[in-house]
Amino acid sequence: MKNNPLLRIINLKKRFGDKEVLKGVSFEVMEGETKVIIGPSGTGKSTLLACINQLVNPDDGEIWLKDELITQAKDINKIRQRIGFVFQDFGLFNHLTALRNVMIGLTKVKKMDKDLAREKALEQLRKVGLEREANLYPAQLSGGQKQRVGIARALAMEPEIILFDEPTSALDPELIGEVLRVMKDLAESGMTMLVVTHEMGFARSVSDEIIFMENGYIVEQGSPEKLFKNPENERTRQFLNKLS
Ligand code: ADP
Ligand code: MG
């Protein structure tokens, strides 16, 4: 079923100055798969996502999106349109309504007609349960609602994969659930997702596979059952024990 690689990362390396942040990272994300990355902070998780989204240039290694080597792509914007990104701090434009935040990529990047863009944006806001909030500004929304706008905005571009970088870690605890629910629905609808998170309940119940990253390396990867019940690596065991 989920055996067509959509994203392939091969021996990815990145250093900032003399600090090696990614030390040779390789993995695949299959079409329709939800893969979760866990690991301590400072481990290179955000840098990894930034490399995939071409916000950061890796020093070495390859990133393939389907059959395209995107680390050598000439048109970065074209590649970015195929990869959705959901930020920890939402990344919304505060001077634009929820609707306009979702529309803007459609009109500016995809050059879509305004009426059609509005229709598409509303459809995505409906999907995340925010149709009634369409005309509110970010300042009038809760953190959970803001992040759902962030997800609607990513979805509106019809990406092939969505990357989530700690999408709930800026939220008050009582608002985390509504965002995770939207993400769970998305995963079940067959969206391909790569999610960095500390939400172990989500990782355990929604992901197809979990990657444990530490200090620039993938220490271990496997099914949630295996990783949580029977981790092979002592480092994985220690990390998971610390959380529970
Ligand atoms: P994580 O997301 O796992 O917490 P990051 O990828 O954000 O880890 O960061 C990994 C390391 O790389 C950290 O030590 C961080 O300070 C460093 N780093 C990240 N981005 C930059 C940058 N643009 N310039 C210099 N150092 C950076
Ligand atoms: Mg990070």
Side-chain angles (χ1 to χ4, degrees):
M1 259 179 38
K2 297 176 181 176
N3 49 15
N4 283 329
L6 186 103
L7 183 71
R8 277 196 297 148
I9 315 286
I10 303 168
N11 199 26
L12 203 69
K13 294 185 181 167
K14 178 66 189 177
R15 59 165 64 237
F16 290 112
D18 56 10
K19 187 168 166 56
E20 238 186 317
V21 175
L22 298 174
K23 300 175 181 170
V25 168
S26 304
F27 65 95
E28 297 184 342
V29 183
M30 304 298 165
E31 244 175 80
E33 182 182 32
T34 295
K35 191 157 266 185
V36 164
I37 302 176
I38 61 174
S41 64
T43 282
K45 305 181 300 296
S46 293
T47 303
L48 171 62
L49 293 193
C51 287
I52 297 170
N53 202 30
Q54 321 250 299
L55 297 165
V56 164
N57 254 331
D59 300 322
D60 201 2
E62 296 178 357
I63 303 175
W64 293 78
L65 185 60
K66 294 231 176 93
D67 52 6
E68 203 171 333
L69 182 59
I70 65 173
T71 27
Q72 306 207 330
K74 293 200 179 66
D75 190 346
I76 288 179
N77 283 323
K78 253 216 172 94
I79 297 298
R80 280 212 194 116
Q81 285 184 49
R82 299 170 59 192
I83 303 174
F85 206 104
V86 173
F87 302 88
Q88 179 173 353
D89 62 358
F90 324 124
L92 301 180
F93 294 111
N94 286 319
H95 66 291
L96 297 179
T97 62
L99 181 68
R100 294 275 166 181
N101 266 286
V102 180
M103 282 175 65
I104 192 163
L106 297 175
T107 53
K108 296 269 190 243
V109 181
K110 290 206 165 176
K111 312 285 179 207
M112 194 180 278
D113 165 80
K114 248 193 173 156
D115 288 335
L116 183 59
R118 178 176 288 110
E119 197 180 302
K120 292 236 176 228
L122 275 173
E123 185 186 322
Q124 297 310 329
L125 285 171
R126 202 176 302 133
K127 260 195 207 158
V128 301
L130 288 176
E131 203 183 9
R132 282 181 14 215
E133 284 78 8
N135 293 314
L136 298 184
Y137 288 85
Q140 300 171 292
L141 300 172
S142 73
Q145 289 173 328
K146 280 188 244 191
Q147 191 55 296
R148 285 188 281 148
V149 174
I151 294 173
R153 179 184 51 186
L155 279 174
M157 300 297 281
E158 298 181 355
E160 291 162 49
I161 180 170
I162 304 186
L163 315 177
F164 295 81
D165 194 0
E166 299 197 28
T168 60
S169 52
L171 300 177
D172 291 335
E174 71 273 19
L175 302 176
I176 290 175
E178 65 191 65
V179 172
L180 293 181
R181 241 175 338 266
V182 166
M183 290 171 64
K184 181 167 193 263
D185 287 348
L186 257 187
E188 283 168 0
S189 77
M191 177 57 76
T192 309
M193 301 169 35
L194 181 60
V195 183
V196 173
T197 186
H198 295 293
E199 293 297 326
M200 293 302 142
F202 177 87
R204 193 189 274 248
S205 64
V206 179
S207 74
D208 295 287
E209 218 172 67
I210 300 177
I211 290 175
F212 172 56
M213 244 181 101
E214 190 177 57
N215 196 19
Y217 292 107
I218 291 182
V219 174
E220 184 166 354
Q221 56 184 318
S223 70
E225 299 79 44
K226 187 177 160 298
L227 226 91
F228 279 102
K229 289 211 185 100
N230 195 15
E232 263 167 30
N233 194 289
E234 186 51 31
R235 295 294 312 143
T236 315
R237 201 182 300 269
Q238 282 172 9
F239 178 75
L240 292 173
N241 278 344
K242 242 185 284 169
L243 293 174
S244 54

